[in-house]
Amino acid sequence: MNDRPLTLMAVHAHPDDEATGTGGVLARYAAEGIRTVLVTCTDGGCGDGPGGVKPGDPGHDPAAVALMRRQELEASCEILKVSHLEMLDYADSGMMGWPTNDAPGSFWQTPVEEGAARLAELLRRYQPDVVVTYDENGFYGHPDHIQANRITMAALAMTSFTPKVYWTTAPRSMMQRFGEVMREFGADVQEPDPAEAAAMAEIGLPDEEITTWVDTTAFGGQKFDALAAHASQGENIFFLRMGQERFTELMGVETFVRVQDTTGAAVPENDLFAGLR
């Protein structure tokens, strides 16, 4: 008998990504006694500094921001009851097109094989039954999210393990509802140009293409508090402004597309561990 615990590994790009995309499943499965492992690939140094100072502006210190975000990440993991936090500590590459994309040591500049080899060691150590990361476009085209997908899939190919593998996504119906809620709470939503609008329309998947819908509403409070732990990041303020109840209503079901499976569990499914227990 293998006494290794059932294990979920989530591979994310930055501190705070774990809360928005997978905070519910991390909290839910931890509560069910499943070992949860979070791998955060970058240091988050391209995030907002104290007072909301942006990268490239006077007073923005990437090293200080990275330290602050590490502390916030540890607080988030404590709230979500994450069993193990592993940090690859690559330099944050920033948004697509930023000069930081080209910085030596940035995650975007790291050879996929190098990052994959490091992640493969973690796969061998933890032997996860389920692995979660982003899709090939990093959900919305962020270079570090794309790189996280690349190293995850390459690392899996380097090992003999065959976990269930999922990519995070969002149903198009929810994306439409999200836009409505943003306007309701007074977010400054500017009309995008046609090219941006077309790109936004491609984010997520049609509802019928989503394989896995996990109800995490019972853990909405933990997910909200985990996001609040990343208070330094201005982009999180909108989510917090709506309050825990509305936040849970909007974000209480986490959705995925299953891309690797050996269990034969039927889809659509409502449990990442369907067929494993």
Side-chain angles (χ1 to χ4, degrees):
M1 289 291 291
N2 187 350
D3 60 0
R4 179 184 56 82
L6 280 175
T7 300
L8 165 66
M9 176 180 284
V11 182
H12 281 292
H14 312 97
D16 80 4
D17 290 334
E18 82 290 339
T20 50
T22 57
V25 292
L26 287 168
R28 170 179 162 167
Y29 290 121
E32 293 179 8
I34 288 171
R35 181 172 61 170
T36 53
V37 180
L38 171 62
V39 180
T40 302
C41 296
T42 80
D43 61 9
C46 285
D48 293 351
V53 62
K54 301 295 183 183
D57 289 347
H60 186 278
D61 180 350
V65 171
L67 177 60
M68 175 179 63
R69 298 195 71 184
R70 170 65 182 252
Q71 294 167 343
E72 292 178 335
L73 177 60
E74 290 172 349
S76 172
C77 287
E78 185 172 346
I79 291 164
L80 297 172
K81 308 301 181 188
V82 170
S83 308
H84 300 275
L85 170 63
E86 298 284 352
M87 296 201 65
L88 301 185
D89 266 334
Y90 290 108
D92 190 341
S93 309
M95 299 296 286
M96 190 67 81
W98 286 12
T100 44
N101 294 174
D102 301 320
S106 72
F107 192 37
W108 187 237
Q109 288 298 314
T110 299
V112 169
E113 296 77 12
E114 177 190 320
R118 293 182 62 194
L119 184 57
E121 284 302 307
L122 296 176
L123 290 171
R124 295 183 185 102
R125 182 187 309 169
Y126 291 108
Q127 300 179 43
D129 303 278
V130 172
V131 173
V132 175
T133 192
Y134 314 98
D135 64 21
E136 293 165 306
N137 189 46
F139 187 58
Y140 65 96
H142 193 297
D144 288 330
H145 292 220
I146 294 170
Q147 190 76 331
N149 167 278
R150 290 174 176 171
I151 74 160
T152 300
M153 303 312 292
L156 287 163
M158 290 177 178
T159 72
S160 59
F161 303 119
T162 55
K164 296 179 79 176
V165 179
Y166 294 89
W167 293 347
T168 56
T169 190
R172 297 264 167 84
S173 60
M174 191 276 278
M175 296 299 294
Q176 180 179 353
R177 175 65 178 142
F178 182 67
E180 294 168 357
V181 173
M182 287 184 71
R183 288 185 286 274
E184 175 187 342
F185 280 88
D188 183 17
V189 182
Q190 297 180 338
E191 192 68 29
D193 65 36
E196 289 179 345
M200 288 294 291
E202 293 301 312
I203 291 178
L205 289 173
D207 292 30
E208 63 273 13
E209 293 183 20
I210 291 173
T211 63
T212 311
W213 306 68
V214 184
D215 184 355
T216 64
T217 52
F219 304 91
Q222 281 175 262
K223 182 172 177 173
F224 183 87
D225 290 346
L227 193 60
H230 296 281
S232 71
Q233 302 309 300
E235 65 267 22
N236 296 330
I237 301 304
F238 164 72
F239 291 103
L240 303 176
R241 191 187 307 160
M242 67 178 74
Q244 180 180 312
E245 184 175 345
R246 290 299 301 278
F247 174 84
T248 301
E249 176 188 325
L250 184 67
M251 309 281 283
V253 175
E254 294 181 349
T255 50
F256 307 86
V257 59
R258 193 174 79 189
V259 295
Q260 178 175 299
D261 173 63
T262 59
T263 69
V267 293
E269 59 188 0
N270 60 10
D271 178 10
L272 297 178
F273 288 84
L276 293 169
R277 54 179 177 172

